Amino acid sequence: MAQALIRLGPGARPALVEALSHDNPAERAVAVEVLGLTGAVETARALVGVLAGDSSDDVRVRAVRALGRLGTPVCLDALIHATGPAHPQAVRVEAATALGDLGSPRAVPALRELLADAHYHVAHNAARSLARLGRPAAAALTETVAERAGTPAAGHAWEALAIQDLQAGHPPRLPAPVPR
């Protein structure tokens, strides 16, 4: 069904936006996916509304992915907000990934904070996103390693730094021994 809607092109967007308020969460989920996959940037605010208020966590996770694909400033702000503890873990995990998809240095402070998250996948995805942000994130990662030595946050930061090193063709830095 999604493929058929994608083939309809921009003409289908009004119907897809209308489907965002359908009673059936499966229909809302398909509408969200198609809007994100087709790059419907004009629907970003509607998708932010879905993220903020849909009753289905699955639909909200898909809204996060769609916003990560669209990449507008309103998407960035909504995704940073979606990493907060008031959101379900699945939404937070995907938001940490979507912030890396956007590639904005404005996401670095929020992602750095997530390195210390109690939920492994939130912290792990934040580290992966920081690694993808390259130079703007390197200082935040290095500071996290220095300030939080011996913590899971430092471990996630080391992993991200190693990924950056490997992608640059350098051997990965080795973590400093933890003082005892």
Side-chain angles (χ1 to χ4, degrees):
M1 176 181 215
Q3 292 297 329
L5 290 169
I6 290 170
R7 276 188 249 127
L8 288 175
R13 289 181 183 164
L16 291 167
V17 170
E18 188 175 317
L20 297 177
S21 59
H22 196 280
D23 289 339
N24 183 343
E27 290 197 28
R28 295 193 310 270
V30 169
V32 166
E33 284 284 344
V34 172
L35 289 170
L37 289 169
T38 59
V41 294
E42 72 278 8
T43 66
R45 290 198 189 284
L47 291 170
V48 168
V50 170
L51 172 59
D54 199 278
S55 60
S56 166
D57 286 352
D58 180 51
V59 174
R60 292 174 68 200
V61 165
R62 290 169 190 252
V64 165
R65 288 186 199 134
L67 290 168
R69 290 180 185 118
L70 297 182
T72 69
V74 72
C75 297
L76 176 65
D77 294 336
L79 291 171
I80 289 172
H81 184 264
T83 64
H87 293 276
Q89 183 178 346
V91 169
R92 297 176 70 232
V93 167
E94 288 299 326
T97 299
L99 286 170
D101 294 341
L102 289 179
S104 173
R106 282 188 48 217
V108 170
L111 290 168
R112 180 182 183 201
E113 189 174 315
L114 291 177
L115 292 174
D117 198 90
H119 298 286
Y120 173 84
H121 292 290
V122 173
H124 178 76
N125 286 8
R128 301 288 286 201
S129 287
L130 284 165
R132 290 171 42 208
L133 291 176
R135 213 171 199 59
L141 291 166
T142 303
E143 289 168 10
T144 299
V145 167
E147 294 169 3
R148 298 178 181 225
T151 67
H156 289 295
W158 270 117
E159 178 183 3
L161 287 168
I163 290 168
Q164 285 183 336
D165 289 342
L166 291 169
Q167 288 174 337
H170 306 295
R173 292 165 248 207
L174 297 175
V178 178
R180 294 181 193 240

